[in-house]
Amino acid sequence: MAAQIVTSGAQTAAAVPGEALEFEDIQGLVFFGHGHLKYSRYVFLRVKDGAGARAWLRTLVERKEVTTASGKQHPGHGEARGEHALQVAFTASGLEHLGVSPEVMITFLQEFREGMRDRRRARILGDTGGSAPEKWQFGGTDETVPHVALVLFGRDDADLDVFHASHRERYQDALEEVFIQDADMRQGDKEPFGFRDGISFPYIKGVPTTRTSDALGLPIDAGEFILGYHNAYGQYPFSPRVPRGEDPRDLLPEVPRGQTAPGEPRPKDLGRNGTYLVIRKLRQDVKGFWKFVEESSRDPDRSAEENEANKELLAAKLMGRWKSGAPLVLCPMKDDPKLGGDATSNNHFEFGDDPYGTKCPLSSHVRRANPRDTLVEDPEESTKLVSRHLIIRRGRPYHDKLAGGEEEQGLMFVALNTNIGRQFEFIQQTWMNNPKFNDLYDSKDPIAGDNYDPQYPEDDPKDYTAVVPGFPVRQRISGVPRFVHMRGGDYFFMPGIKALRYLGAERAR
Amino acid sequence: MSSHALTVVTPIQPDKVKDLDTLLSEIGEDISNRTGRHISFARLTTVHFLRWVILPGDNDGGRHYRPQLAFESNYDGPLDAHLEELIRVGGPVLARIYGYCAGCPSDVAGSVASFKRFLKRYQLRSAAFYRGYPNHSVQDVMENTRARRAIQDFLDDPERRATLRDMQPERLCQEIQKYLATVPGLKLERDPEPRPSRLDRFVERLMDSRPVQLAVGIPVVLLLLPVLVPTALVLRWKESRDEVEPKTKDLVDPRVEGQEDYKVQNQLTHLVEVHPGLFRQLTLRTVLGGINFLARHYYNRGNLGGIPSIHFARWVLIDKGRRLLFFSNYDGSWERYLGDFIDQAAVGLTGVWSNTRGYPKTRLLFGQGATNEEDFKQWTRDHQLYTQVWYSAHPDESVRNILQNVAVCAQLKSQLKSQEAAQWLLKL
Ligand code: HEM
């Protein structure tokens, strides 16, 4: 199938009339996962010397090493894609260490300023028990909080090592490495449980895409994913800003008109073309997941084949798609690998004719992560409301070698959004961890929810169920254990290029 | 039996605010009375939800307000019986709480009658009151939950699973009913739902049908035109002078956020000053009156203007109408609740709160305002109060659960035919 470039609306490429996206100022990760570069490395750094760190940033920008969304890397120009890609983002304490003033810091989102490890936040995200911040590998305590996330992409491990070494040489005097995480797609699109991932993406207004029009869905306002543009409410998202006087060299654009109090000199927009990056290292208990699925579906009276089929079916019921990626609503009884792999049709579905979840359970991961037309009764209203709770996902699987030949597997989960509370946190808290979602009683997301952790037996396992509607009556499995565990992470601000230049500028502090 | 709202707002002796806060916070942290030193709320049979909140003195700039204690309960049955039960169960602890308030007679602990008189003296009417399930008492809710749990136990018993699997829906329903009859103490007969009144039915037709809306609306608007036009002009002028509050606080009161976002149910207390002047009083009271009317006659089945997650909510004008107090008992996260407000009910909310201070810019009373998503959330946060004591009699049930249980239990005694039976089984 020839890839075709589609742009929303009348080829205007504008988020708001007269406001075209400034691709050359936006970091590339917003628009592409750099899928042609199968290996990636997250280098988490702490600032030792602020002035040195700023100098390093300046060089990155001057040499145009930060991958942007413009020119060569644009989807339509696939043949000229870069050999490497590099993105850079900062935590709140990172920005402070770069000398950003308190007046500016307070204009960032509260979620970002408090960080992922904040106690209340950990509670709503389900980062408790074995997933509690103090147990994380990074980001969980003041000592392990990273300042900078440098994300490197390369063709293979060796290539990545060389790429990393060339950068390390330049930053090591000013920044120290606190944690390094590799994540890769050597197993193609499969995440560790064995399902195809990376299928469903929000379709952003004004962004060219290679997908065909019927696989696109509703176009979403760019301001949901990039600061400085109108969001799904038709408003500018809260964007960090700098008082005019703190940008003497005029490196930043002004905040949009109408965003200032009358009489106040118009501040500068530090957020424009930037976004917030959510990074979570999620360990997947692959053995535990398949053991649970097998035990919950086995029937001693049936043949081995039937049991095998039932196992695959139950796993699909928990995920909402078959391993191949084929959506359950389209093929509820049996996997259809051809459909699963067909990018023109594997995301072309809704839940409207399955109100009780007899095909795709109300509690499945895919239906919770995006309820599409069934969030409220009216399907059109539903689609509109859901469009206010979407994220762009850029996660990749990881495989950590452990002592004794064991391997830890999981997902280096990465999400981009402009309002962390309304987008990422909302999905995790209100849709995945909420036992009452979709009129359920006591079911959380069986894949990504904070289900029962036997190592931290605080409450009754009976309160954690998975409900699979069926004939004559549902199967209700209780004692669903937690399969996904938090290992570390934080919220980052991923600035536009102009903002990077501002952050790297020489200043007194 | 239907449920009602009680609001009591009493002045606190200014030098006792701290002591009262300490006492209430202790009670709030020991809501199930493990220590035996506080109130055994679970013994109350008339209460769905109750709370105590200290309204701090002078927290609203321009005018001076003295510190007050606000109490709300959502209760079943007659007020006197509710108050008597409260005084009986609360006993000396209640007397200690109100001992910190001004004007509390010294013999309250000894005399139920004088305590009742005291509370009633400070009772305030709700300007608008919403109930998610007005005809279901606390006892109903709990009975229904028990019945549902019994059904789950029956279906989930591994011994029984294999035999149930191959049954036809009709047969399976019969088996469930047979089993329930053997569960001791389970009430299978349900009180019939009261029929909607003629007014209810009229309002429903009005709200749901375009032609009826036009037939009633056009003459009404024509009649009111001489009032509406000047009102609109005054409103535009007033709105142009409304000041948007600059962002004053950095982080929100950690005590407020710390008590939110628990698993199933949550609460919100919100207090804000009303714009001064007769005109704003009039528009505010009119809009609240309208909401109250609709909540009584139309939004009375688990849905307030599209929001499905509110158990009980009320607006109360306090301090002679100068401030507007809002209490809500809702399901799920704060983000979701506020999001529902904005996504579903922005018009109604803006109609109310555009008459209060600092609300995001509005147009003609109902326009904009809450649709300024981030500003509206920020404004709500800035006016939220810490709730010292909050009790729910059925903390594990969402509104949707409660209503679904009603639907399940309504058919416990009926003979369900194939299609009906299959439909009923889907609710389990
Ligand atoms: C290790 C944990 C997780 C695994 C194994 C996992 C796996 C998957 C898979 C296989 C899909 C279907 C493929 C696709 O549509 O792209 C999917 C979709 C999705 N997941 Fe996850 N996921 C995980 C965690 C999360 C988390 C933490 C979130 C967000 C809070 C999330 C949000 C989503 C969303 C938004 C979709 C797309 C739904 C749609 O638009 O249909 N996932 N996930």
Side-chain angles (χ1 to χ4, degrees), chain A residues 191 196-200 284 365 369-370 372 393 413 428:
Chain A
E191 53 74 36
R196 185 193 299 275
D197 201 356
I199 301 172
S200 178
Q284 294 177 241
H365 177 62
N370 183 354
R372 301 185 184 217
R393 289 173 300 139
F413 175 86
Q428 184 74 54

Side-chain angles (χ1 to χ4, degrees), chain A residues 45-121:
Chain A
L45 302 164
R46 276 175 76 98
V47 174
K48 289 190 286 190
D49 155 24
R54 289 197 294 268
W56 164 72
L57 250 187
R58 280 201 299 280
T59 327
L60 273 188
V61 176
E62 274 154 25
R63 296 200 197 162
K64 294 194 180 349
E65 284 170 311
V66 180
T67 309
T68 71
S70 76
K72 288 203 304 263
Q73 288 101 2
H74 223 272
H77 311 267
E79 63 290 348
R81 290 183 290 202
E83 294 273 294
H84 291 124
L86 177 153
Q87 320 286 182
V88 62
F90 308 87
T91 58
S93 49
L95 293 179
E96 281 162 7
H97 277 81
L98 286 174
V100 173
S101 70
E103 300 93 283
V104 176
M105 288 311 297
I106 176 180
T107 62
F108 282 88
L109 288 182
Q110 187 186 335
E111 301 89 297
F112 170 74
R113 282 179 287 143
E114 290 178 350
M116 201 179 268
R117 67 190 181 286
D118 172 73
R119 271 191 49 205
R120 184 188 72 96
R121 179 145 290 115

Side-chain angles (χ1 to χ4, degrees), chain B residues 216-352:
Chain B
V216 177
I218 292 174
V220 169
V221 169
L222 283 177
L223 269 176
L224 289 183
L225 217 52
V227 187
L228 286 178
V229 171
T231 309
L233 290 175
V234 177
L235 257 178
R236 276 311 290 149
W237 177 71
K238 295 239 175 204
E239 280 170 350
S240 69
R241 297 169 25 126
D242 286 352
E243 301 236 334
V244 176
E245 274 179 5
K247 189 175 165 189
T248 46
K249 285 186 224 155
D250 174 5
L251 292 184
V252 177
D253 179 354
R255 286 218 293 178
V256 170
E257 285 195 334
Q259 63 174 182
E260 268 169 6
D261 286 321
Y262 281 88
K263 217 157 71 180
V264 180
Q265 297 174 351
N266 284 291
Q267 58 75 34
L268 181 139
T269 303
H270 184 272
L271 178 65
V272 61
E273 203 172 26
V274 179
H275 281 309
L278 211 66
F279 182 78
R280 289 296 196 166
Q281 282 291 328
L282 212 69
T283 48
L284 175 60
R285 284 171 197 259
T286 311
V287 175
L288 285 172
I291 292 180
N292 194 44
F293 179 82
L294 288 178
R296 184 160 284 270
H297 298 288
Y298 182 70
Y299 293 124
N300 49 18
R301 278 150 295 186
N303 167 347
L304 174 60
I307 306 179
S309 54
I310 305 181
H311 293 258
F312 294 91
R314 72 182 66 169
W315 282 270
V316 183
L317 280 159
I318 64 168
D319 301 323
K320 303 200 171 67
R322 292 209 186 104
R323 292 194 293 175
L324 179 62
L325 183 60
F326 176 67
F327 290 134
S328 179
N329 302 282
Y330 66 93
D331 293 326
S333 62
W334 185 89
E335 247 329 296
R336 141 106 194 276
Y337 185 51
L338 270 283
D340 276 357
F341 265 36
I342 297 161
D343 293 339
Q344 311 266 1
V347 172
L349 297 182
T350 299
V352 174

Side-chain angles (χ1 to χ4, degrees), chain A residues 296-297 314 466-470 473-477, chain B residues 156 161:
Chain A
S296 309
S297 60
L314 179 58
V467 179
V468 181
V473 75
R474 86 286 175 291
Q475 180 187 1
R476 183 167 173 272
I477 309 164
Chain B
D156 294 341
R161 276 252 293 283

Side-chain angles (χ1 to χ4, degrees), chain A residues 125 189-202 278 280-285 319-323 325 346-347 349 351 365-372 386 389-393 398 409-415 423-429 431-432 445 447-449 483-485:
Chain A
L125 295 177
D189 293 338
K190 294 245 178 264
E191 53 74 36
F193 291 146
F195 293 83
R196 185 193 299 275
D197 201 356
I199 301 172
S200 178
F201 278 94
V278 176
R280 285 167 75 77
K281 179 177 178 184
L282 299 174
R283 174 170 72 84
Q284 294 177 241
D285 180 1
M319 182 61 86
R321 289 182 185 265
W322 296 92
K323 273 188 186 162
N346 63 7
N347 200 31
F349 67 92
F351 300 113
H365 177 62
V366 161
R367 194 158 179 173
R368 295 182 96 112
N370 183 354
R372 301 185 184 217
V386 165
H389 309 286
L390 299 176
I391 48 175
I392 293 176
R393 289 173 300 139
Y398 73 84
Q409 297 185 61
L411 187 66
M412 195 61 179
F413 175 86
V414 176
Q423 295 172 276
F424 162 69
E425 286 184 355
F426 186 93
I427 299 174
Q428 184 74 54
Q429 180 190 9
W431 288 351
M432 294 178 173
D445 188 318
I447 305 294
F483 302 120
V484 167
H485 303 264

